[in-house]
Amino acid sequence: MSKIFLYKDGERVGVLQNCSSVQWLEHYQSAGEVKIVAAPTERNKELLTPGTRLYNADSDTSAVIVETEVQAGEDKALIVLADIASAILDERVVLWRRLVTNIETGMYTLLRENLRGLPLSLAEPKGFTESTETELDWGSVLDAVETLATVSGLGFKVCFDPMTAAETFEVYKGTDRSTPGEDYVGSFSTALGNVDAFTLRQGVIDYKNVAIVVGEGAPVTVSLGNVPAEARRELFVNAQNLRREETEASYEQLLRSRGREALAEHLRTFEIECEINQNNMRFGQDYFLGDCLPIRLDEHGIAVAARVASVQHVYETEGNRTLITLDDFRLEEAP
């Protein structure tokens, strides 16, 4: 089991002891959580209280205890729930309305102007160029940061210094390890035995490839490429709320744009879920949170790239496990 250090009021007060289970969950683009099952000893009841900070030697962030529960009876235990440090951003409200263009700059500005006493310093920007046009107003700072992370592919975390107990908010970006090159470390593959299970879904239940857009005047037809007559799957799009522009051509362009938007909501479905293990490549050594990795389902001739969205370290008396959650699957050309 990893060492979990305990801090109160910025001072280290001990190490977690008499514990049967720790589940430490971190996300790339949101806050995470921790659950501990420990013996209800007098020491644990004294140290494991709301507000105590936990630092995991396998991580670079910390968690703060938010709730404890003592269970009596035959299976007596002390249940401890904690939030990963970035959850503290939920304690502040965004006090302005602003259009964000550069994501990294927007995140740091968001915190700098809304911390109001939160004990966080800000890391030096790395110069990420991801951009958007997202308007932020009110809501929590955490919600706003999560929104910017989701639209950009960037991640964020609150790093913990175990020597000083200081915390620093940092915007970061996972490494693309999906193709051979300097950052490539291998692949997860059914042939290599490091993909334990997977689910592959493909469907055309709601698929449409031709939109009939009706506005003012004659209908406009928009299609996904050159669709043969026998393969047409038509969708009616009501665009009568669109008003004519100065020219007929500009109005038709508006109708076509509305048709393409409608078809984008009725594409073929292609979804993958898979479970990977640590046999050939290990988290924290070969790849990290936010990295993009290659996944090969060899018997189906499918290759995808997927992002490491979450990691859960599970420490139990019978052994340790690392559970990885993937998202943002991108279909690649199979080798």
Side-chain angles (χ1 to χ4, degrees), residues 68-90:
T68 62
E69 176 184 323
V70 177
Q71 296 181 347
E74 183 177 346
D75 298 322
K76 58 184 180 180
L78 175 60
I79 309 299
V80 177
L81 302 180
D83 287 337
I84 294 295
S86 55
I88 196 174
L89 300 179
D90 202 39

mmCIF file with all atom_site columns, all heavy atoms in Angstrom, residues 68-90:
data_model
loop_
_atom_site.group_PDB
_atom_site.id
_atom_site.type_symbol
_atom_site.label_atom_id
_atom_site.label_alt_id
_atom_site.label_comp_id
_atom_site.label_asym_id
_atom_site.label_entity_id
_atom_site.label_seq_id
_atom_site.pdbx_PDB_ins_code
_atom_site.Cartn_x
_atom_site.Cartn_y
_atom_site.Cartn_z
_atom_site.occupancy
_atom_site.B_iso_or_equiv
_atom_site.pdbx_formal_charge
_atom_site.auth_seq_id
_atom_site.auth_comp_id
_atom_site.auth_asym_id
_atom_site.auth_atom_id
_atom_site.pdbx_PDB_model_num
ATOM 1   N N   . THR A 1 68 ? -16.789 11.685  7.818  1.00 0.00 ? 68 THR A N   1
ATOM 2   C CA  . THR A 1 68 ? -16.381 10.416  8.434  1.00 0.00 ? 68 THR A CA  1
ATOM 3   C C   . THR A 1 68 ? -17.602 9.731   9.030  1.00 0.00 ? 68 THR A C   1
ATOM 4   O O   . THR A 1 68 ? -18.591 10.386  9.395  1.00 0.00 ? 68 THR A O   1
ATOM 5   C CB  . THR A 1 68 ? -15.335 10.626  9.546  1.00 0.00 ? 68 THR A CB  1
ATOM 6   O OG1 . THR A 1 68 ? -15.913 11.434  10.579 1.00 0.00 ? 68 THR A OG1 1
ATOM 7   C CG2 . THR A 1 68 ? -14.082 11.290  9.003  1.00 0.00 ? 68 THR A CG2 1
ATOM 8   N N   . GLU A 1 69 ? -17.533 8.420   9.119  1.00 0.00 ? 69 GLU A N   1
ATOM 9   C CA  . GLU A 1 69 ? -18.630 7.630   9.681  1.00 0.00 ? 69 GLU A CA  1
ATOM 10  C C   . GLU A 1 69 ? -18.044 6.455   10.446 1.00 0.00 ? 69 GLU A C   1
ATOM 11  O O   . GLU A 1 69 ? -17.236 5.689   9.901  1.00 0.00 ? 69 GLU A O   1
ATOM 12  C CB  . GLU A 1 69 ? -19.541 7.124   8.561  1.00 0.00 ? 69 GLU A CB  1
ATOM 13  C CG  . GLU A 1 69 ? -20.660 6.209   9.033  1.00 0.00 ? 69 GLU A CG  1
ATOM 14  C CD  . GLU A 1 69 ? -21.479 5.665   7.875  1.00 0.00 ? 69 GLU A CD  1
ATOM 15  O OE1 . GLU A 1 69 ? -21.709 6.422   6.899  1.00 0.00 ? 69 GLU A OE1 1
ATOM 16  O OE2 . GLU A 1 69 ? -21.866 4.476   7.930  1.00 0.00 ? 69 GLU A OE2 1
ATOM 17  N N   . VAL A 1 70 ? -18.427 6.318   11.697 1.00 0.00 ? 70 VAL A N   1
ATOM 18  C CA  . VAL A 1 70 ? -17.993 5.183   12.515 1.00 0.00 ? 70 VAL A CA  1
ATOM 19  C C   . VAL A 1 70 ? -19.088 4.130   12.505 1.00 0.00 ? 70 VAL A C   1
ATOM 20  O O   . VAL A 1 70 ? -20.237 4.409   12.858 1.00 0.00 ? 70 VAL A O   1
ATOM 21  C CB  . VAL A 1 70 ? -17.693 5.617   13.962 1.00 0.00 ? 70 VAL A CB  1
ATOM 22  C CG1 . VAL A 1 70 ? -17.306 4.396   14.805 1.00 0.00 ? 70 VAL A CG1 1
ATOM 23  C CG2 . VAL A 1 70 ? -16.578 6.654   13.993 1.00 0.00 ? 70 VAL A CG2 1
ATOM 24  N N   . GLN A 1 71 ? -18.718 2.939   12.057 1.00 0.00 ? 71 GLN A N   1
ATOM 25  C CA  . GLN A 1 71 ? -19.664 1.823   12.022 1.00 0.00 ? 71 GLN A CA  1
ATOM 26  C C   . GLN A 1 71 ? -19.355 0.879   13.173 1.00 0.00 ? 71 GLN A C   1
ATOM 27  O O   . GLN A 1 71 ? -18.218 0.412   13.316 1.00 0.00 ? 71 GLN A O   1
ATOM 28  C CB  . GLN A 1 71 ? -19.567 1.078   10.684 1.00 0.00 ? 71 GLN A CB  1
ATOM 29  C CG  . GLN A 1 71 ? -19.965 1.930   9.480  1.00 0.00 ? 71 GLN A CG  1
ATOM 30  C CD  . GLN A 1 71 ? -19.883 1.171   8.177  1.00 0.00 ? 71 GLN A CD  1
ATOM 31  O OE1 . GLN A 1 71 ? -19.300 0.083   8.107  1.00 0.00 ? 71 GLN A OE1 1
ATOM 32  N NE2 . GLN A 1 71 ? -20.452 1.724   7.123  1.00 0.00 ? 71 GLN A NE2 1
ATOM 33  N N   . ALA A 1 72 ? -20.353 0.604   14.004 1.00 0.00 ? 72 ALA A N   1
ATOM 34  C CA  . ALA A 1 72 ? -20.188 -0.295  15.143 1.00 0.00 ? 72 ALA A CA  1
ATOM 35  C C   . ALA A 1 72 ? -20.663 -1.688  14.774 1.00 0.00 ? 72 ALA A C   1
ATOM 36  O O   . ALA A 1 72 ? -21.042 -1.959  13.634 1.00 0.00 ? 72 ALA A O   1
ATOM 37  C CB  . ALA A 1 72 ? -20.956 0.256   16.344 1.00 0.00 ? 72 ALA A CB  1
ATOM 38  N N   . GLY A 1 73 ? -20.653 -2.598  15.741 1.00 0.00 ? 73 GLY A N   1
ATOM 39  C CA  . GLY A 1 73 ? -21.107 -3.956  15.494 1.00 0.00 ? 73 GLY A CA  1
ATOM 40  C C   . GLY A 1 73 ? -19.978 -4.887  15.123 1.00 0.00 ? 73 GLY A C   1
ATOM 41  O O   . GLY A 1 73 ? -18.793 -4.598  15.345 1.00 0.00 ? 73 GLY A O   1
ATOM 42  N N   . GLU A 1 74 ? -20.321 -6.001  14.498 1.00 0.00 ? 74 GLU A N   1
ATOM 43  C CA  . GLU A 1 74 ? -19.332 -7.031  14.181 1.00 0.00 ? 74 GLU A CA  1
ATOM 44  C C   . GLU A 1 74 ? -18.286 -6.530  13.185 1.00 0.00 ? 74 GLU A C   1
ATOM 45  O O   . GLU A 1 74 ? -17.106 -6.811  13.315 1.00 0.00 ? 74 GLU A O   1
ATOM 46  C CB  . GLU A 1 74 ? -20.044 -8.264  13.611 1.00 0.00 ? 74 GLU A CB  1
ATOM 47  C CG  . GLU A 1 74 ? -19.103 -9.421  13.325 1.00 0.00 ? 74 GLU A CG  1
ATOM 48  C CD  . GLU A 1 74 ? -19.853 -10.649 12.825 1.00 0.00 ? 74 GLU A CD  1
ATOM 49  O OE1 . GLU A 1 74 ? -21.090 -10.689 12.943 1.00 0.00 ? 74 GLU A OE1 1
ATOM 50  O OE2 . GLU A 1 74 ? -19.185 -11.573 12.306 1.00 0.00 ? 74 GLU A OE2 1
ATOM 51  N N   . ASP A 1 75 ? -18.725 -5.784  12.180 1.00 0.00 ? 75 ASP A N   1
ATOM 52  C CA  . ASP A 1 75 ? -17.805 -5.260  11.165 1.00 0.00 ? 75 ASP A CA  1
ATOM 53  C C   . ASP A 1 75 ? -17.528 -3.779  11.422 1.00 0.00 ? 75 ASP A C   1
ATOM 54  O O   . ASP A 1 75 ? -17.752 -2.926  10.556 1.00 0.00 ? 75 ASP A O   1
ATOM 55  C CB  . ASP A 1 75 ? -18.393 -5.453  9.758  1.00 0.00 ? 75 ASP A CB  1
ATOM 56  C CG  . ASP A 1 75 ? -18.599 -6.911  9.417  1.00 0.00 ? 75 ASP A CG  1
ATOM 57  O OD1 . ASP A 1 75 ? -17.747 -7.724  9.805  1.00 0.00 ? 75 ASP A OD1 1
ATOM 58  O OD2 . ASP A 1 75 ? -19.618 -7.228  8.777  1.00 0.00 ? 75 ASP A OD2 1
ATOM 59  N N   . LYS A 1 76 ? -17.021 -3.491  12.588 1.00 0.00 ? 76 LYS A N   1
ATOM 60  C CA  . LYS A 1 76 ? -16.791 -2.092  12.929 1.00 0.00 ? 76 LYS A CA  1
ATOM 61  C C   . LYS A 1 76 ? -15.678 -1.509  12.062 1.00 0.00 ? 76 LYS A C   1
ATOM 62  O O   . LYS A 1 76 ? -14.688 -2.169  11.738 1.00 0.00 ? 76 LYS A O   1
ATOM 63  C CB  . LYS A 1 76 ? -16.446 -1.951  14.409 1.00 0.00 ? 76 LYS A CB  1
ATOM 64  C CG  . LYS A 1 76 ? -15.228 -2.727  14.872 1.00 0.00 ? 76 LYS A CG  1
ATOM 65  C CD  . LYS A 1 76 ? -15.075 -2.577  16.374 1.00 0.00 ? 76 LYS A CD  1
ATOM 66  C CE  . LYS A 1 76 ? -13.845 -3.357  16.884 1.00 0.00 ? 76 LYS A CE  1
ATOM 67  N NZ  . LYS A 1 76 ? -13.701 -3.212  18.350 1.00 0.00 ? 76 LYS A NZ  1
ATOM 68  N N   . ALA A 1 77 ? -15.886 -0.243  11.674 1.00 0.00 ? 77 ALA A N   1
ATOM 69  C CA  . ALA A 1 77 ? -14.927 0.418   10.780 1.00 0.00 ? 77 ALA A CA  1
ATOM 70  C C   . ALA A 1 77 ? -15.121 1.917   10.853 1.00 0.00 ? 77 ALA A C   1
ATOM 71  O O   . ALA A 1 77 ? -16.175 2.425   11.263 1.00 0.00 ? 77 ALA A O   1
ATOM 72  C CB  . ALA A 1 77 ? -15.114 -0.070  9.346  1.00 0.00 ? 77 ALA A CB  1
ATOM 73  N N   . LEU A 1 78 ? -14.088 2.620   10.433 1.00 0.00 ? 78 LEU A N   1
ATOM 74  C CA  . LEU A 1 78 ? -14.153 4.071   10.258 1.00 0.00 ? 78 LEU A CA  1
ATOM 75  C C   . LEU A 1 78 ? -14.124 4.346   8.757  1.00 0.00 ? 78 LEU A C   1
ATOM 76  O O   . LEU A 1 78 ? -13.135 4.043   8.086  1.00 0.00 ? 78 LEU A O   1
ATOM 77  C CB  . LEU A 1 78 ? -12.962 4.745   10.952 1.00 0.00 ? 78 LEU A CB  1
ATOM 78  C CG  . LEU A 1 78 ? -12.824 6.259   10.759 1.00 0.00 ? 78 LEU A CG  1
ATOM 79  C CD1 . LEU A 1 78 ? -14.040 6.998   11.289 1.00 0.00 ? 78 LEU A CD1 1
ATOM 80  C CD2 . LEU A 1 78 ? -11.537 6.774   11.400 1.00 0.00 ? 78 LEU A CD2 1
ATOM 81  N N   . ILE A 1 79 ? -15.226 4.893   8.220  1.00 0.00 ? 79 ILE A N   1
ATOM 82  C CA  . ILE A 1 79 ? -15.329 5.208   6.792  1.00 0.00 ? 79 ILE A CA  1
ATOM 83  C C   . ILE A 1 79 ? -15.008 6.683   6.612  1.00 0.00 ? 79 ILE A C   1
ATOM 84  O O   . ILE A 1 79 ? -15.615 7.549   7.241  1.00 0.00 ? 79 ILE A O   1
ATOM 85  C CB  . ILE A 1 79 ? -16.742 4.909   6.244  1.00 0.00 ? 79 ILE A CB  1
ATOM 86  C CG1 . ILE A 1 79 ? -17.179 3.487   6.624  1.00 0.00 ? 79 ILE A CG1 1
ATOM 87  C CG2 . ILE A 1 79 ? -16.760 5.117   4.731  1.00 0.00 ? 79 ILE A CG2 1
ATOM 88  C CD1 . ILE A 1 79 ? -16.303 2.398   6.071  1.00 0.00 ? 79 ILE A CD1 1
ATOM 89  N N   . VAL A 1 80 ? -14.032 6.960   5.739  1.00 0.00 ? 80 VAL A N   1
ATOM 90  C CA  . VAL A 1 80 ? -13.562 8.329   5.516  1.00 0.00 ? 80 VAL A CA  1
ATOM 91  C C   . VAL A 1 80 ? -13.773 8.697   4.049  1.00 0.00 ? 80 VAL A C   1
ATOM 92  O O   . VAL A 1 80 ? -13.336 7.968   3.152  1.00 0.00 ? 80 VAL A O   1
ATOM 93  C CB  . VAL A 1 80 ? -12.070 8.460   5.878  1.00 0.00 ? 80 VAL A CB  1
ATOM 94  C CG1 . VAL A 1 80 ? -11.573 9.871   5.584  1.00 0.00 ? 80 VAL A CG1 1
ATOM 95  C CG2 . VAL A 1 80 ? -11.842 8.105   7.338  1.00 0.00 ? 80 VAL A CG2 1
ATOM 96  N N   . LEU A 1 81 ? -14.430 9.838   3.810  1.00 0.00 ? 81 LEU A N   1
ATOM 97  C CA  . LEU A 1 81 ? -14.612 10.348  2.456  1.00 0.00 ? 81 LEU A CA  1
ATOM 98  C C   . LEU A 1 81 ? -13.861 11.666  2.324  1.00 0.00 ? 81 LEU A C   1
ATOM 99  O O   . LEU A 1 81 ? -13.921 12.518  3.224  1.00 0.00 ? 81 LEU A O   1
ATOM 100 C CB  . LEU A 1 81 ? -16.102 10.570  2.148  1.00 0.00 ? 81 LEU A CB  1
ATOM 101 C CG  . LEU A 1 81 ? -17.017 9.353   2.279  1.00 0.00 ? 81 LEU A CG  1
ATOM 102 C CD1 . LEU A 1 81 ? -18.456 9.741   1.940  1.00 0.00 ? 81 LEU A CD1 1
ATOM 103 C CD2 . LEU A 1 81 ? -16.550 8.210   1.385  1.00 0.00 ? 81 LEU A CD2 1
ATOM 104 N N   . ALA A 1 82 ? -13.156 11.827  1.214  1.00 0.00 ? 82 ALA A N   1
ATOM 105 C CA  . ALA A 1 82 ? -12.373 13.043  0.989  1.00 0.00 ? 82 ALA A CA  1
ATOM 106 C C   . ALA A 1 82 ? -12.522 13.484  -0.462 1.00 0.00 ? 82 ALA A C   1
ATOM 107 O O   . ALA A 1 82 ? -12.800 12.680  -1.354 1.00 0.00 ? 82 ALA A O   1
ATOM 108 C CB  . ALA A 1 82 ? -10.903 12.795  1.316  1.00 0.00 ? 82 ALA A CB  1
ATOM 109 N N   . ASP A 1 83 ? -12.328 14.780  -0.697 1.00 0.00 ? 83 ASP A N   1
ATOM 110 C CA  . ASP A 1 83 ? -12.353 15.355  -2.048 1.00 0.00 ? 83 ASP A CA  1
ATOM 111 C C   . ASP A 1 83 ? -10.931 15.684  -2.481 1.00 0.00 ? 83 ASP A C   1
ATOM 112 O O   . ASP A 1 83 ? -10.150 16.237  -1.692 1.00 0.00 ? 83 ASP A O   1
ATOM 113 C CB  . ASP A 1 83 ? -13.181 16.641  -2.082 1.00 0.00 ? 83 ASP A CB  1
ATOM 114 C CG  . ASP A 1 83 ? -14.673 16.399  -1.971 1.00 0.00 ? 83 ASP A CG  1
ATOM 115 O OD1 . ASP A 1 83 ? -15.111 15.281  -2.294 1.00 0.00 ? 83 ASP A OD1 1
ATOM 116 O OD2 . ASP A 1 83 ? -15.395 17.329  -1.559 1.00 0.00 ? 83 ASP A OD2 1
ATOM 117 N N   . ILE A 1 84 ? -10.606 15.356  -3.747 1.00 0.00 ? 84 ILE A N   1
ATOM 118 C CA  . ILE A 1 84 ? -9.328  15.774  -4.303 1.00 0.00 ? 84 ILE A CA  1
ATOM 119 C C   . ILE A 1 84 ? -9.256  17.302  -4.259 1.00 0.00 ? 84 ILE A C   1
ATOM 120 O O   . ILE A 1 84 ? -10.258 18.005  -4.425 1.00 0.00 ? 84 ILE A O   1
ATOM 121 C CB  . ILE A 1 84 ? -9.172  15.244  -5.737 1.00 0.00 ? 84 ILE A CB  1
ATOM 122 C CG1 . ILE A 1 84 ? -9.077  13.717  -5.731 1.00 0.00 ? 84 ILE A CG1 1
ATOM 123 C CG2 . ILE A 1 84 ? -7.951  15.848  -6.423 1.00 0.00 ? 84 ILE A CG2 1
ATOM 124 C CD1 . ILE A 1 84 ? -7.856  13.158  -5.036 1.00 0.00 ? 84 ILE A CD1 1
ATOM 125 N N   . ALA A 1 85 ? -8.049  17.831  -4.058 1.00 0.00 ? 85 ALA A N   1
ATOM 126 C CA  . ALA A 1 85 ? -7.859  19.238  -3.698 1.00 0.00 ? 85 ALA A CA  1
ATOM 127 C C   . ALA A 1 85 ? -8.535  20.232  -4.634 1.00 0.00 ? 85 ALA A C   1
ATOM 128 O O   . ALA A 1 85 ? -8.994  21.285  -4.192 1.00 0.00 ? 85 ALA A O   1
ATOM 129 C CB  . ALA A 1 85 ? -6.365  19.538  -3.611 1.00 0.00 ? 85 ALA A CB  1
ATOM 130 N N   . SER A 1 86 ? -8.614  19.933  -5.934 1.00 0.00 ? 86 SER A N   1
ATOM 131 C CA  . SER A 1 86 ? -9.203  20.906  -6.863 1.00 0.00 ? 86 SER A CA  1
ATOM 132 C C   . SER A 1 86 ? -10.677 21.163  -6.579 1.00 0.00 ? 86 SER A C   1
ATOM 133 O O   . SER A 1 86 ? -11.242 22.150  -7.075 1.00 0.00 ? 86 SER A O   1
ATOM 134 C CB  . SER A 1 86 ? -9.014  20.451  -8.311 1.00 0.00 ? 86 SER A CB  1
ATOM 135 O OG  . SER A 1 86 ? -9.520  19.153  -8.515 1.00 0.00 ? 86 SER A OG  1
ATOM 136 N N   . ALA A 1 87 ? -11.317 20.317  -5.756 1.00 0.00 ? 87 ALA A N   1
ATOM 137 C CA  . ALA A 1 87 ? -12.720 20.543  -5.402 1.00 0.00 ? 87 ALA A CA  1
ATOM 138 C C   . ALA A 1 87 ? -12.902 21.834  -4.621 1.00 0.00 ? 87 ALA A C   1
ATOM 139 O O   . ALA A 1 87 ? -14.016 22.368  -4.532 1.00 0.00 ? 87 ALA A O   1
ATOM 140 C CB  . ALA A 1 87 ? -13.256 19.363  -4.591 1.00 0.00 ? 87 ALA A CB  1
ATOM 141 N N   . ILE A 1 88 ? -11.817 22.388  -4.070 1.00 0.00 ? 88 ILE A N   1
ATOM 142 C CA  . ILE A 1 88 ? -11.908 23.641  -3.319 1.00 0.00 ? 88 ILE A CA  1
ATOM 143 C C   . ILE A 1 88 ? -12.393 24.782  -4.207 1.00 0.00 ? 88 ILE A C   1
ATOM 144 O O   . ILE A 1 88 ? -12.958 25.771  -3.724 1.00 0.00 ? 88 ILE A O   1
ATOM 145 C CB  . ILE A 1 88 ? -10.541 23.986  -2.683 1.00 0.00 ? 88 ILE A CB  1
ATOM 146 C CG1 . ILE A 1 88 ? -10.698 25.051  -1.604 1.00 0.00 ? 88 ILE A CG1 1
ATOM 147 C CG2 . ILE A 1 88 ? -9.547  24.439  -3.753 1.00 0.00 ? 88 ILE A CG2 1
ATOM 148 C CD1 . ILE A 1 88 ? -9.424  25.344  -0.839 1.00 0.00 ? 88 ILE A CD1 1
ATOM 149 N N   . LEU A 1 89 ? -12.214 24.655  -5.525 1.00 0.00 ? 89 LEU A N   1
ATOM 150 C CA  . LEU A 1 89 ? -12.656 25.695  -6.453 1.00 0.00 ? 89 LEU A CA  1
ATOM 151 C C   . LEU A 1 89 ? -14.171 25.816  -6.481 1.00 0.00 ? 89 LEU A C   1
ATOM 152 O O   . LEU A 1 89 ? -14.714 26.824  -6.957 1.00 0.00 ? 89 LEU A O   1
ATOM 153 C CB  . LEU A 1 89 ? -12.131 25.412  -7.864 1.00 0.00 ? 89 LEU A CB  1
ATOM 154 C CG  . LEU A 1 89 ? -10.607 25.344  -8.017 1.00 0.00 ? 89 LEU A CG  1
ATOM 155 C CD1 . LEU A 1 89 ? -10.233 25.026  -9.453 1.00 0.00 ? 89 LEU A CD1 1
ATOM 156 C CD2 . LEU A 1 89 ? -9.960  26.642  -7.565 1.00 0.00 ? 89 LEU A CD2 1
ATOM 157 N N   . ASP A 1 90 ? -14.865 24.810  -5.967 1.00 0.00 ? 90 ASP A N   1
ATOM 158 C CA  . ASP A 1 90 ? -16.323 24.868  -5.904 1.00 0.00 ? 90 ASP A CA  1
ATOM 159 C C   . ASP A 1 90 ? -16.802 25.817  -4.807 1.00 0.00 ? 90 ASP A C   1
ATOM 160 O O   . ASP A 1 90 ? -17.990 26.113  -4.714 1.00 0.00 ? 90 ASP A O   1
ATOM 161 C CB  . ASP A 1 90 ? -16.884 23.462  -5.663 1.00 0.00 ? 90 ASP A CB  1
ATOM 162 C CG  . ASP A 1 90 ? -18.329 23.322  -6.100 1.00 0.00 ? 90 ASP A CG  1
ATOM 163 O OD1 . ASP A 1 90 ? -18.682 23.886  -7.156 1.00 0.00 ? 90 ASP A OD1 1
ATOM 164 O OD2 . ASP A 1 90 ? -19.109 22.660  -5.387 1.00 0.00 ? 90 ASP A OD2 1
#
